[in-house]
Amino acid sequence: TEAYKAKLVLVARQRPRSLGQPYSLWTCQRLADYLAEQTGIRVTDETVRHYLIAAGIVLSRPQHKLTSPDPEYEVKKRRLKTPGTT
């Protein structure tokens, strides 16, 4: 229903922990499970994904970035990426 889709978008734009969930990121399956508990309507994770895409929301994997307390880390990192001449 349109009400379900609206609730899905509203929930997807919130952090799971703010809604009492024990995880930090939404997946389509987690959204489907959460909304099944809240609304009593069970849909597949694939259906959730299609609804989110239609609303302009794409869930993606988190991007991890390595950092270091070393003040010269960025310089050293660039040096490793630059092909050396020997």
Side-chain angles (χ1 to χ4, degrees), residues 2 8 11 13 28 30 33-34 36 41 43 54 57 60 62 66 72 75 86:
E2 290 305 314
L8 170 63
V11 169
R13 289 188 171 144
C28 290
R30 287 175 177 170
D33 292 342
Y34 179 80
I41 300 170
V43 298
I57 300 172
S60 60
L66 297 176
E72 296 181 20
V75 173
T86 52

Side-chain angles (χ1 to χ4, degrees), residues 5-80:
K5 291 178 188 178
K7 175 115 175 138
L8 170 63
V9 170
L10 183 70
V11 169
R13 289 188 171 144
Q14 297 180 52
R15 299 263 184 216
R17 291 197 192 273
S18 72
L19 297 172
Q21 299 304 302
Y23 37 81
S24 299
L25 297 173
W26 286 119
T27 63
C28 290
Q29 187 61 57
R30 287 175 177 170
L31 281 165
D33 292 342
Y34 179 80
L35 286 167
E37 291 173 9
Q38 299 298 309
T39 65
I41 300 170
R42 169 62 68 181
V43 298
T44 66
D45 59 327
E46 199 58 24
T47 300
V48 166
R49 188 175 70 78
H50 286 292
Y51 289 160
L52 290 176
I53 289 171
I57 300 172
V58 178
L59 299 180
S60 60
R61 292 182 179 164
Q63 303 298 312
H64 301 287
K65 182 178 179 183
L66 297 176
T67 60
S68 171
D70 182 357
E72 296 181 20
Y73 176 73
E74 289 299 321
V75 173
K76 292 175 184 177
K77 185 173 145 185
R78 267 186 263 127
R79 206 178 303 150
L80 287 174

